[in-house]
Amino acid sequence: MIPVFKPSYGKEEFEALKKVMESGWVGLGPKTQEFEEHFAKYIGVKYAVALNSCTAALHLAMKVMDIEGGEVLTTPVTFVSTNHAILYNNATPVFCDVEPDTLNISFKEIGKNITKNTKAIVTVHYGGHPCDMDPVIKLAKSRGIKVIEDAAHGCGGEYKGRKIGTLGDIACFSFHAVKNLATGEGGMIATNDQKIYERLKKLRWLGINKGTWDREISEEHSNVKKYSWYYDVEEVGFKCHLNDIPAAIGLVQLKKLDKMNNIRRKLSFRYNELLKGAGDIETPVVKDYAKSAHHNYVIKTEKRDGLNAYLQEKGISTGVHYIPNHHYRMYKNCKADCPVVEEVWKKLLTLPLYPDLTFKQQDMIIKHIKDFFK
């Protein structure tokens, strides 16, 4: 089977893992700190906090944005983690409709759904294509509302020359096995606020004010380490930090990210060109303001389910990203006036896209798609 997604690993990742194993320190330690520093520098923020998943990142980001008791404007076209994190913080999701082309949250619909109870807006950069952030941020600032970027798909993408994750008040990234930067599991929060950064470091480690590696103190004017056992617990936190094993993989993947994203971009544009005239297929768009991370490649077709079954028979995996979240039983009572979503999601089909996908494999996928429509 040709998979929908596949991480791209080489000898460098295996060598990085070996060094961590040999070091004797595999928990939250120096590699995690190094990964945080390099990641923050790469996207252009002051601070980054590494966690064990983007779900955890969304949970903690919303906690420090103080959304409890309020409403959060969000999209139903996302992985359920986005909206579970709202519920984790005792807030109410309000589902807004999306743009029919990018599948990102609609600014017009944000304006229609803002109330005096709105505490935050979540902008999910669907498929790695950035939301149109300027009008969202302007509106949010005028109303004292926080903007939380869900950049799970967006690592390396840009909006008007600025990296995704540097645009709102806080941003969350995913390093899950299928993501552009893949560590197996993992996530990151990006922020420019030092107080939020310091609190996040405590929240990810049970509210403890000094992590284990932080207790390894260098003696002045020497390379000798001494260990300080004392710490305090300042609030109820969670155990969701990253450790040095995925962090070591992340450091290697970060160096390769732009190159891998360029391959994704080339494959996406190649799909667009070669699928012209194939049935009723509508291919993805990239707006003028965007440099997409091209996390996935999602076509739209009325014959979605038939094409999905046909490609499976030919050894080609496909997916649907996503079932609208308000269709799930637990979200049935949430506000969701989303006619575009109701129409478009029935057409969505995700085709294989990853850096190691060959032109030969892509040609085979395209051939079978054209054969199906014939």
Side-chain angles (χ1 to χ4, degrees):
M1 293 292 290
I2 297 176
V4 183
F5 302 111
K6 183 182 176 184
S8 180
Y9 293 142
K11 292 181 180 179
E12 302 96 327
E13 283 86 355
F14 293 108
E15 186 60 33
L17 282 174
K18 181 182 176 183
K19 288 180 180 178
V20 169
M21 296 294 190
E22 290 175 344
S23 75
W25 193 294
V26 297
L28 174 59
K31 282 297 173 186
T32 305
Q33 181 177 327
E34 185 181 354
F35 184 34
E36 291 170 333
E37 292 169 353
H38 283 244
F39 189 83
K41 184 177 180 181
Y42 171 78
I43 68 168
V45 295
K46 293 180 181 178
Y47 309 106
V49 180
L51 301 163
N52 60 12
S53 70
C54 188
T55 304
L58 288 160
H59 178 193
L60 298 193
M62 293 188 191
K63 186 173 182 65
V64 297
M65 290 292 101
D66 193 26
I67 68 167
E68 185 169 357
E71 295 177 346
V72 178
L73 305 188
T74 183
T75 171
V77 185
T78 183
F79 188 57
V80 73
S81 292
T82 306
N83 297 313
H84 275 12
I86 298 170
L87 300 180
Y88 295 160
N89 284 281
N90 298 313
T92 302
V94 176
F95 293 111
C96 298
D97 214 347
V98 300
E99 300 290 348
D101 49 5
T102 64
L103 303 178
N104 284 330
I105 191 169
S106 163
F107 172 69
K108 180 181 177 182
E109 296 300 312
I110 288 172
K112 283 170 57 176
N113 284 283
I114 283 181
T115 71
K116 63 180 181 181
N117 297 319
T118 304
K119 289 199 172 184
I121 302 165
V122 181
T123 55
V124 176
H125 303 296
Y126 179 88
H129 189 293
C131 297
D132 191 3
M133 294 295 292
D134 282 350
V136 175
I137 291 168
K138 183 178 179 181
L139 176 62
K141 283 185 176 178
S142 72
R143 302 291 291 268
I145 296 168
K146 300 296 184 183
V147 176
I148 301 164
E149 289 182 76
D150 182 339
H153 291 184
C155 202
E158 296 179 6
Y159 173 77
K160 297 184 178 179
R162 294 175 61 192
K163 283 282 191 291
I164 288 174
T166 65
L167 307 163
D169 293 288
I170 199 164
C172 303
F173 292 86
S174 173
F175 307 135
H176 181 266
V178 305
K179 295 303 191 295
N180 295 37
L181 191 163
T183 66
E185 288 287 356
M188 192 80 78
I189 300 180
T191 179
N192 284 310
D193 190 310
Q194 185 176 5
K195 288 184 178 179
I196 286 175
Y197 167 67
E198 295 295 343
R199 188 180 178 205
L200 285 168
K201 287 200 298 180
K202 290 181 285 189
L203 282 172
R204 73 172 174 183
W205 182 232
L206 299 164
I208 295 171
N209 69 348
K210 190 178 289 187
T212 309
W213 177 250
D214 296 327
R215 291 176 234 149
E216 291 276 348
I217 309 299
S218 294
E219 290 187 1
E220 192 175 3
H221 308 305
S222 81
N223 293 321
V224 178
K225 288 272 190 179
K226 63 179 181 178
Y227 185 75
S228 173
W229 54 263
Y230 183 80
Y231 60 84
D232 195 6
V233 183
E234 298 180 353
E235 65 176 306
V236 175
F238 308 88
K239 193 173 188 296
C240 54
H241 60 81
L242 197 68
N243 65 64
D244 277 18
I245 295 173
I249 299 172
L251 280 163
V252 177
Q253 288 272 293
L254 184 60
K255 291 178 183 177
K256 298 179 175 181
L257 180 61
D258 288 340
K259 180 180 178 180
M260 292 192 295
N261 280 359
N262 283 335
I263 295 171
R264 289 172 176 274
R265 188 170 295 110
K266 179 184 265 188
L267 288 166
S268 294
F269 291 160
R270 193 168 185 268
Y271 265 135
N272 286 355
E273 186 64 29
L274 296 179
L275 285 173
K276 285 180 179 177
D280 68 340
I281 287 177
E282 181 183 341
T283 56
V285 302
V286 178
K287 299 284 192 176
D288 291 341
Y289 58 74
K291 182 178 180 182
S292 177
H294 294 281
H295 166 62
N296 59 20
Y297 186 85
V298 178
I299 61 172
K300 303 182 185 81
T301 172
E302 296 281 357
K303 296 180 174 63
R304 188 263 307 276
D305 294 340
L307 180 57
N308 169 64
Y310 183 81
L311 292 177
Q312 288 285 339
E313 291 174 0
K314 302 299 181 182
I316 299 162
S317 296
T318 59
V320 174
H321 297 88
Y322 296 92
I323 299 171
N325 286 189
H326 65 283
H327 286 197
Y328 298 136
R329 183 180 302 173
M330 64 172 298
Y331 287 104
K332 289 288 187 181
N333 294 327
C334 294
K335 183 181 178 183
D337 182 14
C338 303
V340 173
V341 172
E342 299 299 349
E343 174 67 21
V344 78
W345 91 269
K346 302 170 188 175
K347 304 176 184 179
L348 303 180
L349 190 67
T350 306
L351 301 183
L353 180 67
Y354 46 89
D356 294 336
L357 183 71
T358 66
F359 282 176
K360 184 177 179 180
Q361 290 172 316
Q362 191 181 36
D363 288 340
M364 185 178 76
I365 294 165
I366 292 163
K367 176 186 180 300
H368 287 311
I369 290 172
K370 289 181 175 180
D371 286 347
F372 169 81
F373 281 104
K374 288 177 183 177

